[in-house]
Amino acid sequence: MKPPYSEQLNRCECCPRHCGVDRLAGKTGFCNVSGDILLAHAGLHFGEEPPISGTRGSGTIFFAGCNLCCAFCQNWQISQEFDFSNTRKLSPAELADEMLRLQFEGAHNINFVSPSHMIFQMADAIQTARQKGLTVPVVYNSNGYDSVEALRLIRGLVDIYLPDIKYMDNALGQRFSAVRDYADVIPGVLREMLDQGGLLELDDAGIARRGLLVRHLVLPGQIENSKACLKFLAELNPDITVSIMSQYSPQYKACDIPELNRTLTGEEYDEITDYALELGLENAFIQTPESQQTYLPDFDKTLPFKQI
Ligand code: SF4
Ligand code: SF4
């Protein structure tokens, strides 16, 4: 077994922000999380794409903190404004036990949500969980602002890559997510993920086994950005599986940004999905107009995804 991946946190370069802080000594960088594993929520989730949620649910593990700061974050309670009242501090062994619990409850996979800043703690936990009997695929469900070097270090531990492609425009990334080089970083990240996992593979029941599924959330009024994202994917590989998400609704700070303070129109979404087909992206998941509400979690509740 390789030495603990988490040793890398003594000069953190987990993500392209390269903060260089010693998280093992309790220091924090942009993501605001030290070397501890801060678990915000672990449970079965049925709102992912059908090959991920399947019939029995995806075993989601939400970490606190994030290496982006999106004005429209629907998980802001745990990504930006978390505290010790809504998180639990775990060791890698305890995180491995959570993974095994979710597998026991029937999860089709273990789905790490926003793991970019926890990539090495996650890797240590995966190794332990595999030794203790974890057999379902591991999903790396990230915002795409990942370190290619870190991804190479954990090669072989992740079965399914589920990244976003948010922007192909650095100015938009800066304005909406406080990141200056997202459009420069994402091409290399997606190439690495495709190289590691290949195209999405399903089993006979239509459940994802391995490979790459890329998500794109269409933002209101940002049609050219969405088209540029899809064009990049089509050039990378037109057989790539893409989930084109219509669920945007103004959350968190987006309510104070006039251009983000509305939902997407049907015409905007149709223009993007038509464009994807024009590009030859035929392996696309497309949502219905009523998707806005069904995906919104509330992390102040014990069951954040239960619609009451
Ligand atoms: S939307 Fe995702 S990437 Fe952006 S701040 Fe929230 S959790 Fe992080
Ligand atoms: S993971 Fe956090 S501390 Fe490390 S480089 Fe990224 S933002 Fe900085």
Side-chain angles (χ1 to χ4, degrees), residues 30 62-63 65-80 113-114 116-117 141-145 164 166-167 176-177 182 217 252:
F30 184 93
F62 286 79
F63 294 123
C66 186
N67 63 344
L68 294 185
C69 181
C70 302
F72 48 83
C73 183
Q74 65 176 27
N75 295 345
W76 60 272
Q77 292 152 305
I78 59 169
S79 73
Q80 310 297 321
V113 184
S114 298
S116 310
H117 62 303
N141 178 348
S142 85
N143 56 36
Y145 195 58
D164 295 336
K166 287 183 180 293
Y167 309 109
F176 295 157
S177 297
Y182 187 96
L217 175 67
Y252 194 40

Side-chain angles (χ1 to χ4, degrees), residues 12-15 17-19 21 23 28-31 67 116-117:
C12 187
E13 308 237 326
C14 288
C15 87
R17 295 208 185 259
H18 299 293
C19 298
V21 295
R23 291 173 63 190
T28 55
F30 184 93
C31 61
N67 63 344
S116 310
H117 62 303

Side-chain angles (χ1 to χ4, degrees), residues 80-229:
Q80 310 297 321
E81 301 197 2
F82 61 93
D83 59 33
F84 290 102
S85 67
N86 60 4
T87 56
R88 274 195 293 149
K89 192 160 101 175
L90 301 185
S91 67
E94 289 169 328
L95 181 56
D97 288 342
E98 287 288 334
M99 297 160 71
L100 291 162
R101 174 180 67 80
L102 291 167
Q103 175 175 266
F104 181 76
E105 289 177 3
H108 290 289
N109 46 59
I110 301 300
N111 181 350
F112 288 102
V113 184
S114 298
S116 310
H117 62 303
M118 291 277 184
I119 186 167
F120 293 130
Q121 297 98 317
M122 176 200 79
D124 285 331
I126 293 171
Q127 282 203 317
T128 303
R130 289 286 187 218
Q131 286 172 342
K132 290 169 93 173
L134 186 81
T135 55
V136 296
V138 168
V139 182
Y140 186 88
N141 178 348
S142 85
N143 56 36
Y145 195 58
D146 285 290
S147 155
V148 172
E149 293 74 25
L151 292 172
R152 285 186 183 144
L153 282 173
I154 66 153
R155 189 177 182 114
L157 293 180
V158 166
D159 303 286
I160 299 163
Y161 280 109
L162 181 58
D164 295 336
I165 178 168
K166 287 183 180 293
Y167 309 109
M168 283 301 281
D169 175 338
N170 281 330
L172 268 194
Q174 180 68 59
R175 194 143 46 105
F176 295 157
S177 297
V179 57
R180 66 179 168 76
D181 58 353
Y182 187 96
D184 299 335
V185 165
I186 191 68
V189 167
L190 295 181
R191 281 191 196 100
E192 176 64 24
M193 291 177 171
L194 185 61
D195 181 61
Q196 287 192 22
L199 293 171
L200 190 68
E201 288 177 20
L202 308 182
D203 66 15
D204 293 343
I207 308 299
R209 218 169 20 200
R210 57 178 280 111
L212 175 65
L213 195 173
V214 183
R215 285 177 167 163
H216 175 68
L217 175 67
V218 184
L219 296 175
Q222 304 301 337
I223 298 301
E224 292 314 311
N225 177 58
S226 288
K227 288 185 173 177
C229 290

